[in-house]
């Protein structure tokens, strides 16, 4: 039920002041003090010549000042509004005392304009200006952010909207850009240091004896078994609401950022997850959300009640409020330790009921990569073959085979999983009991491509394709939640060739040491980039050997998720790989150059979960 904020509400909020204000997000919804609403729109820049200035600043969140790095004096940075087909020159001044950069996330452009220091350009030195210039080849919702150090966590991010050259096929009467993010008053380097010292430092939701006495969570035996493996089922998020404020367009839950509508309008919400470390579950109680775009590309409309948005993903949704009342937009953190909150309302000064935080999820056997122990369905465990080095395939260059990056596709059906190796499943199932899992979860014969390094705490013996699942904690919410398999492209994919070869890449980690990597090797340990040839068609399977979701981003390319939709497979630039799960995608490596390939969890990337992809011209000329 909606309400206008009256004097009694404000007095009740004032009573929660002082030291208790910092704990207000833990109070029930009715006890949370809120403002009368902030209608401030995001500042917008557009045109062919755009000037941006990166600098230190202060920002105010829920009445508290905090240090930030912003652009043109704002956090988030200004909305950059462009049009498909134009050229743009972005003059970026770095007013910091350290190097900086801007990466144009999801934009197709020349690799030397991609903005990753040490890979595609040297970075922007202090007190200098760098000009990015490139054509705009696409339309949709995107964003931009620093790729230097941990600046992104401090506020160095902003939205991009590119209007199509012609009529927009997505019809709406009004639109709002919704930038979700996380912010801490603790300096990001201190956050990282604490994670290195104790991986679960920020997890205040661990299981307790009182939980067990109440019959909640795991049984005593399950807790003992998980303890033997040094695993914590509550370890869902590295950094939590214990230090984060969750923001909408730079405003905290009590700021009550408000977007207006007129009843009966089709309202388009361009939702961007620009956070450093937070996966959000987004819903608007009382309204259906019709998903019409994913990662900037149009998809066939899907009506849902909620969707999970991983770090660096974008979703455009249509809502059609018909009642003359306010609605709450909820961005609940995946571990349920806090939420971003905003209001959709027909008038200023309105608010709606804010739902309570739901019960925090617990990791289970699937999240450990043990598959579905009840069904033991080997046919669903999949992805691709084991990825052991092999020769063959029309475009498999010798250097690819030598590095273990070539597995020929089955000649009868390139789209099938006929070559899948189930030996890992058999080993994982052997012994049956939890007590026997310790060996199987470190059995490198399951994944010979993974290096035996301290970065590998576990190897998933029975990883499953989880693209048909809604995400951690959303399995039993009682309403429709978006899953990747719901997404279908509106237009036929530009390249529908069968893949020439396939790769299998493991996402590995050691939570106790806070180490993250691909195939057991951190970025500074990798001697050679992952090699591709121009216009190759490659099937890539990502295997998550950890108990945490990883949003994996490939720069300079879109890829097609292998989810059963063939020529209309959804195309994305970032994909969430659920704990213990796999994701398979096909990619055409049509962009010559060096490109970053990494987990978009900022501290995972900072700890080494990143590699370089090199796409070479077929003639062998330098890129």
């Amino acid at each position: 039920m909606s309400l206008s904020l009256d004097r009694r509400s404000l007095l009740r909020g004032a009573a929660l002041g002082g030291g208790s204000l910092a704990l207000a997000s833990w109070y029930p919804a009715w006890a949370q003090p809120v403002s009368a609403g902030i209608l401030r729109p995001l500042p917008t820049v557009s045109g062919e010549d755009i000037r941006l200035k990166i600098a230190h600043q202060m920002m105010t969140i829920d009445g508290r000042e905090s240090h930030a790095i912003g652009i043109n004096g704002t956090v988030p940075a200004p909305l950059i509004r462009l049009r498909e087909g134009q050229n743009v020159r972005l003059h970026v001044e770095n007013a910091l005392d350290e190097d900086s950069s801007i990466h144009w996330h999801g934009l197709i452009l020349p690799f030397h304009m991609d903005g990753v220091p040490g890979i595609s350009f040297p970075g922007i030195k202090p007190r200098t200006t760098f000009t990015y210039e490139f054509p705009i080849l696409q339309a949709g919702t995107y964003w931009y952010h620093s790729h230097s150090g941990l600046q992104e966590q401090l506020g160095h991010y902003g939205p991009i909207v590119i209007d199509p050259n012609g009529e927009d096929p997505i019809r709406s009467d009004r639109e709002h850009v919704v930038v979700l993010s996380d912010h801490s008053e603790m300096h990001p380097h201190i956050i990282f240091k604490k994670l290195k010292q104790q991986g679960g430092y920020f997890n205040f939701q661990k299981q307790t004896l009182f939980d067990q006495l109440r019959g909640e969570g795991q049984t005593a035996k399950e807790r003992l078994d998980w303890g033997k493996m040094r695993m914590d089922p509550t370890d869902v998020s590295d950094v939590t609401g214990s230090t984060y404020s969750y923001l909408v367009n730079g405003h905290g839950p009590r700021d009550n950022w408000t977007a207006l509508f007129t009843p009966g309008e089709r309202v388009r919400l361009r939702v961007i997850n620009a956070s450093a470390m937070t996966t959000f579950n987004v819903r608007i109680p009382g309204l259906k959300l019709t998903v019409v775009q994913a990662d900037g590309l149009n998809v066939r409309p899907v009506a849902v009640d909620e969707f999970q948005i991983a770090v660096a993903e974008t979703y455009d949704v249509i809502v059609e409020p018909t009642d003359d009342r306010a609605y709450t937009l909820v961005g609940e953190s995946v571990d349920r330790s806090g939420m971003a909150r905003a209001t959709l309302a027909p008038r200023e000064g309105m608010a709606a009921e804010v739902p309570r935080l739901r019960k925090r999820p617990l990791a289970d056997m699937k999240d450990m990569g043990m598959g579905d122990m009840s069904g033991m369905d080997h046919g669903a465990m999949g992805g691709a073959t084991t990825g052991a080095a092999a020769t063959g395939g029309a475009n498999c260059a010798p250097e690819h085979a030598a590095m273990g990056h070539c597995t020929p596709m089955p000649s009868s059906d390139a789209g099938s999983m006929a070559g899948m190796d189930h030996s890992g499943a058999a080993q994982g199932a052997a012994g049956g009991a939890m007590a026997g899992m310790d060996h199987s979860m470190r059995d490198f014969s399951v994944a010979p491509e993974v290096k035996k390094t301290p970065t590998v705490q576990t190897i998933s013996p029975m990883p499953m394709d989880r693209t048909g699942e809604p995400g951690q904690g959303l399995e039993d919410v009682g309403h429709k939640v978006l899953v990747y398999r719901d997404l279908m492209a509106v237009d036929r994919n530009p390249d529908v060739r069968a893949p020439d070869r396939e790769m299998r890449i493991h996402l590995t980690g050691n939570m106790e040491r806070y180490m993250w990597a691909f195939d057991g090797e951190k970025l500074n340990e990798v001697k050679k980039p992952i090699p591709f040839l121009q216009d190759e068609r490659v099937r890539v399977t990502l295997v998550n050997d950890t108990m945490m979701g990883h949003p994996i981003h490939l720069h300079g390319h879109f890829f097609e998720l292998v989810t059963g939709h063939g020529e209309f497979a959804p195309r994305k630039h970032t994909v969430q790989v659920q704990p213990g799960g796999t994701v398979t995608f096909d990619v055409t490596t049509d962009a010559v150059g060096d490109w970053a390939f990494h987990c978009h969890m900022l501290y995972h990337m900072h700890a080494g979960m990143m590699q370089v992809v090199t796409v070479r011209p077929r003639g062998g000329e330098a890129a």
Side-chain angles (χ1 to χ4, degrees):
M1 177 175 151
S2 66
L3 54 108
S4 294
L5 294 176
D6 56 18
R7 182 173 180 272
R8 182 171 55 185
S9 301
L10 294 174
L11 288 174
R12 182 175 62 204
L16 295 170
S20 64
L21 182 62
L23 299 174
S25 63
W26 296 94
Y27 292 148
W30 59 265
Q32 294 185 17
V34 297
S35 78
I38 293 175
L39 290 172
R40 187 181 308 127
L42 291 170
T44 302
V45 294
S46 61
E48 301 237 333
D49 276 279
I50 294 172
R51 297 198 172 273
L52 303 173
K53 182 178 181 179
I54 305 167
H56 292 285
Q57 66 174 78
M58 300 300 290
M59 64 183 298
T60 302
I61 301 170
D62 289 339
R64 296 173 63 96
E65 279 203 333
S66 183
H67 169 250
I69 293 177
I71 294 180
N72 292 6
T74 69
V75 175
L79 165 62
I80 299 177
R81 191 115 200 179
L82 304 171
R83 181 166 292 279
E84 182 182 15
Q86 77 165 95
N87 289 294
V88 67
R89 288 176 295 278
L90 298 127
H91 310 281
V92 181
E93 177 187 352
N94 178 13
L96 304 176
D97 294 322
E98 59 182 324
D99 287 9
S100 192
S101 58
I102 293 182
H103 164 58
W104 314 100
H105 187 100
L107 297 196
I108 301 301
L109 37 62
F111 84 94
H112 57 283
M113 292 287 124
D114 191 49
V116 182
I119 296 179
S120 55
F121 87 136
I124 309 173
K125 298 297 180 185
R127 315 297 171 182
T128 66
T129 297
F130 180 85
T131 298
Y132 295 88
E133 183 173 3
F134 47 87
I136 302 303
L137 304 176
Q138 61 211 96
T141 303
Y142 303 94
W143 66 296
Y144 61 107
H145 60 85
S146 174
H147 234 291
S148 299
L150 300 175
Q151 294 172 4
E152 183 185 337
Q153 174 74 94
L154 286 165
H156 188 339
Y157 53 81
I160 300 173
V161 171
I162 304 174
D163 295 308
N165 186 12
E167 184 177 354
D168 194 329
I170 299 174
R171 184 178 61 81
S172 64
D173 303 304
R174 189 193 299 246
E175 71 173 43
H176 297 288
V177 175
V178 178
V179 180
L180 301 173
S181 62
D182 45 31
H183 183 84
S184 175
E185 295 182 17
M186 186 181 292
H187 193 279
H189 286 289
I190 301 299
I191 292 176
F192 186 72
K193 180 180 178 181
K194 291 185 180 298
L195 289 170
K196 290 292 288 184
Q197 292 170 338
Q198 180 184 342
Y201 180 88
F202 297 101
N203 182 6
F204 287 9
Q205 300 191 104
K206 295 179 182 291
Q207 296 183 113
T208 67
L209 175 61
F210 294 104
D211 293 331
Q212 188 171 344
L213 293 175
R214 288 194 299 264
E216 297 178 356
Q218 294 179 312
T219 65
K221 182 181 184 305
E222 287 172 335
R223 294 187 189 195
L224 181 62
D225 289 334
W226 281 65
K228 288 178 181 178
M229 293 181 290
R230 297 183 179 181
M231 293 183 177
D232 183 354
T234 69
D235 187 17
V236 175
S237 295
D238 291 348
V239 191
T240 70
S242 65
T243 188
Y244 273 154
S245 294
Y246 299 111
L247 311 183
V248 176
N249 292 344
H251 299 288
R254 293 181 293 281
D255 287 334
N256 188 25
W257 183 84
T258 301
L260 298 181
F261 69 86
T262 298
E265 285 185 324
R266 284 173 55 90
V267 182
R268 181 176 186 170
L269 303 177
R270 297 178 181 264
V271 184
I272 301 166
N273 188 349
S275 67
M277 292 293 290
T278 305
T279 300
F280 288 103
N281 296 324
V282 178
R283 68 191 194 275
I284 304 176
L287 287 180
K288 281 285 186 182
L289 312 172
T290 301
V291 178
V292 293
Q293 193 179 95
D295 284 359
L297 301 184
N298 297 341
V299 296
R300 300 183 188 183
V302 182
V304 300
D305 298 290
E306 185 169 5
F307 63 91
Q308 184 171 101
I309 183 167
V311 177
E313 288 187 309
T314 72
Y315 284 107
D316 285 27
V317 301
I318 298 291
V319 295
E320 300 183 70
T322 57
D323 295 334
D324 186 41
R325 69 180 184 93
Y327 298 85
T328 297
L329 186 151
V330 176
E332 190 177 48
S333 65
V334 67
D335 68 325
R336 279 59 182 285
S337 64
M339 70 169 67
R341 174 274 182 109
T343 296
L344 296 179
R347 290 176 299 282
E348 184 178 358
M350 299 181 71
E353 180 182 356
V354 180
R356 295 173 181 267
L357 290 168
R358 295 174 292 190
K359 186 178 178 181
R360 59 103 165 87
L362 288 178
D364 58 16
M365 301 302 292
K366 277 189 179 182
D367 300 321
M368 290 172 58
M370 296 305 298
D372 188 346
M373 298 294 286
S374 60
M376 293 296 294
D377 182 7
H378 297 267
M381 286 183 296
T385 60
T386 59
T391 58
N395 295 316
C396 187
E399 61 268 33
H400 295 174
M403 294 183 67
H405 290 311
C406 279
T407 300
M409 294 298 297
S411 57
S412 60
D413 181 6
S416 76
M417 300 301 171
M420 191 164 59
D421 183 352
H422 300 307
S423 60
Q427 294 184 35
M434 288 280 289
M437 290 178 192
D438 187 61
H439 168 73
S440 67
M441 296 190 73
R442 289 280 298 180
D443 190 345
F444 285 89
S445 67
V446 173
E449 62 271 45
V450 178
K451 307 296 186 297
K452 299 180 181 181
T453 70
T455 314
V456 187
Q457 187 173 24
T458 60
I459 294 176
S460 297
M462 294 173 58
M464 295 178 61
D465 181 339
R466 304 188 70 177
T467 55
E469 300 179 24
Q472 281 183 295
L474 296 176
E475 302 87 352
D476 301 310
V477 292
H479 56 234
K480 171 62 180 174
V481 181
L482 182 74
V483 301
Y484 279 143
R485 291 185 192 175
D486 290 330
L487 301 175
M488 289 185 67
V490 170
D491 300 315
R492 184 173 181 265
N493 292 327
D495 189 351
V496 295
R497 293 177 296 160
D500 306 301
R501 63 184 177 100
E502 61 183 308
M503 301 169 53
R504 194 169 175 91
I505 296 174
H506 287 252
L507 316 178
T508 58
N510 186 323
M511 192 62 186
E512 289 185 317
R513 301 189 185 187
Y514 206 75
M515 302 169 67
W516 304 95
F518 288 154
D519 288 337
E521 288 188 314
K522 297 185 293 183
L523 176 62
N524 62 352
E525 299 169 344
V526 177
K527 295 180 174 61
K528 293 182 180 180
I530 299 174
F532 290 94
L533 294 176
Q534 185 179 12
D535 293 325
E536 270 195 294
R537 186 75 169 153
V538 182
R539 175 159 292 180
V540 178
T541 294
L542 303 172
V543 182
N544 190 350
D545 289 323
T546 78
M547 287 173 50
M548 186 165 292
H550 296 287
I552 304 301
H553 174 45
L554 175 60
H555 287 221
H557 297 79
F558 278 85
F559 47 76
E560 293 80 54
L561 296 184
V562 179
T563 51
H565 296 304
E567 298 177 352
F568 294 93
R571 306 185 71 218
K572 298 186 96 273
H573 52 60
T574 304
V575 65
Q576 176 86 329
V577 189
Q578 295 291 345
T582 67
V583 167
T584 299
F585 63 78
D586 293 337
V587 61
T588 300
T589 52
D590 55 1
V592 171
D594 296 326
W595 303 97
F597 178 50
H598 62 93
C599 176
H600 223 287
M601 292 282 191
L602 183 62
Y603 299 114
H604 293 186
M605 180 176 66
H606 194 67
M609 202 171 200
M610 177 175 178
Q611 289 197 25
V612 178
V613 163
T614 294
V615 180
R616 296 189 303 125
R618 285 197 174 273
E621 301 87 353

